[in-house]
Amino acid sequence: MSSQNTAKISAEGIRPGEVAVSLPDEADASIYFIGRIRTPWKSRKEAPKNAREARETGAICTLEVDPRWQQALAGVETCSHLIVLYWMDQARRDLVVQAPAHYANGRGTFALRSPVRPNPIALSVVRLHKVEGNRVEVVSLDCLDGTPLVDIKPYFASTDAIPDAQVGWHQKEKAVEQR
Amino acid sequence: MSSQNTAKISAEGIRPGEVAVSLPDEADASIYFIGRIRTPWKSRKEAPKNAREARETGAICTLEVDPRWQQALAGVETCSHLIVLYWMDQARRDLVVQAPAHYANGRGTFALRSPVRPNPIALSVVRLHKVEGNRVEVVSLDCLDGTPLVDIKPYFASTDAIPDAQVGWHQKEKAVEQR
């Protein structure tokens, strides 16, 4: 959650307009962390607020892949861009409606890229800088140093790039900001 | 794994050129399935081979979100495109080098979009057709009917669309095919 928020936060850490649900009693599947992400950001305060800001810093971040999985990197060096999945281990999982401080209204979790979601898997598209052994250098991620790595995938423009895609609620918020 | 493969498969189901590793003793985190995906594909044989083929079918597929999470869909209806994460529950997790039948050489798992990976989370970018209650209709997914749903995210062109991204090994394979 944004450290900028100044709205009243309840005892359970829920802001006005937010909605939490009870989590399921049992999990359905399990995740292996395949490594850690090294970034220059040691606290939420220093970290970029989102993927766009991260990219603007131009900072090189490193995906340190566990040696067990190192052979799985063969061919990654030929990719210009990668999709990185990582685990936001500090995020709560029970909010269905969220009210980030920088937006006017509450939004459904699945309409947001917030780390707070039932499965706190974040996704970033990054430019590959270099692969060296088990270390993959990319530009650039918004997560804290030490964040657990979940997956690395090649980015295929043919299916992954939709340059004219729209997020209606977000465009409306931006229009309000610019008024 | 592709049903087209005709290469020799070992007792452990590993093809020549493939490499398996032992999985970690313990998992690091857990996943809640947030719903199921309804598609027209009841078997691997009928299913599209990849995201591009799925899109070409134009088939409407439905993300059936568990009622527990339904409120999290507020605002999703304003998105033209979504990122869908789903769990490939039939895929093995221990291959680091894979030799899909339709490619000439073995490739590292992280250079492939194969469902076989340490964390079998598949990712597709889809066009939104309609949201109705807890049902999100999209065009189109390549997974089998009943596949567990893991996450829905809005697609932001500003950070997610890289139209000139390249996957070098894939372009080389295509060039060989066309010779």
Side-chain angles (χ1 to χ4, degrees), chain B residues 116-139:
Chain B
V116 172
R117 50 209 316 119
N119 297 302
I121 299 169
L123 177 163
S124 284
V125 177
V126 293
R127 183 162 60 76
L128 176 65
H129 181 247
K130 189 165 68 175
V131 182
E132 222 167 55
N134 69 330
R135 296 166 59 84
V136 181
E137 292 184 3
V138 302
V139 185

Side-chain angles (χ1 to χ4, degrees), chain A residues 52 102-104 107 166-179, chain B residues 156 158:
Chain A
R52 185 181 47 73
H102 49 291
Y103 294 133
R107 298 284 163 203
Q166 311 271 334
V167 179
W169 70 259
H170 189 254
Q171 282 156 339
K172 214 167 148 189
E173 296 271 354
K174 278 199 300 187
V176 170
E177 267 175 34
Q178 281 156 12
R179 236 179 252 163
Chain B
F156 282 94
S158 56

Side-chain angles (χ1 to χ4, degrees), chain A residues 22 28-33 55 68 72 78 80 93 110 113 117 119 121 151 153-155 159-160 166 168, chain B residues 22 28-33 55 68 72 78 80 93 113 117 119 121 151 153-155 159-160 166 168:
Chain A
S22 63
D28 296 296
S30 48
I31 291 280
Y32 302 121
F33 296 158
R55 200 173 287 172
R68 181 193 303 269
T78 72
S80 71
R93 301 174 69 162
F110 299 142
R113 290 289 275 267
R117 49 210 316 119
N119 297 301
I121 300 168
D151 201 6
K153 298 178 188 292
Y155 182 98
T159 48
D160 301 326
Q166 311 271 334
Chain B
S22 64
D28 295 298
S30 49
I31 290 280
Y32 302 122
F33 296 159
R55 200 172 288 173
R68 181 192 303 268
T78 73
S80 71
R93 301 175 68 162
R113 290 289 275 267
R117 50 209 316 119
N119 297 302
I121 299 169
D151 201 6
K153 298 179 189 292
Y155 182 99
T159 47
D160 300 327
Q166 311 270 334

Side-chain angles (χ1 to χ4, degrees), chain A residues 78-133:
Chain A
T78 72
C79 299
S80 71
H81 291 76
L82 302 172
I83 298 173
V84 182
L85 302 185
Y86 41 108
W87 190 260
M88 304 304 279
D89 52 357
Q90 295 177 36
R92 63 189 293 166
R93 301 174 69 162
D94 61 349
L95 293 190
V96 287
V97 177
Q98 300 177 50
H102 49 291
Y103 294 133
N105 300 303
R107 298 284 163 203
T109 291
F110 299 142
L112 293 167
R113 290 289 275 267
S114 159
V116 173
R117 49 210 316 119
N119 297 301
I121 300 168
L123 177 164
S124 282
V125 177
V126 293
R127 183 162 62 76
L128 176 65
H129 181 247
K130 190 166 66 177
V131 183
E132 222 168 54

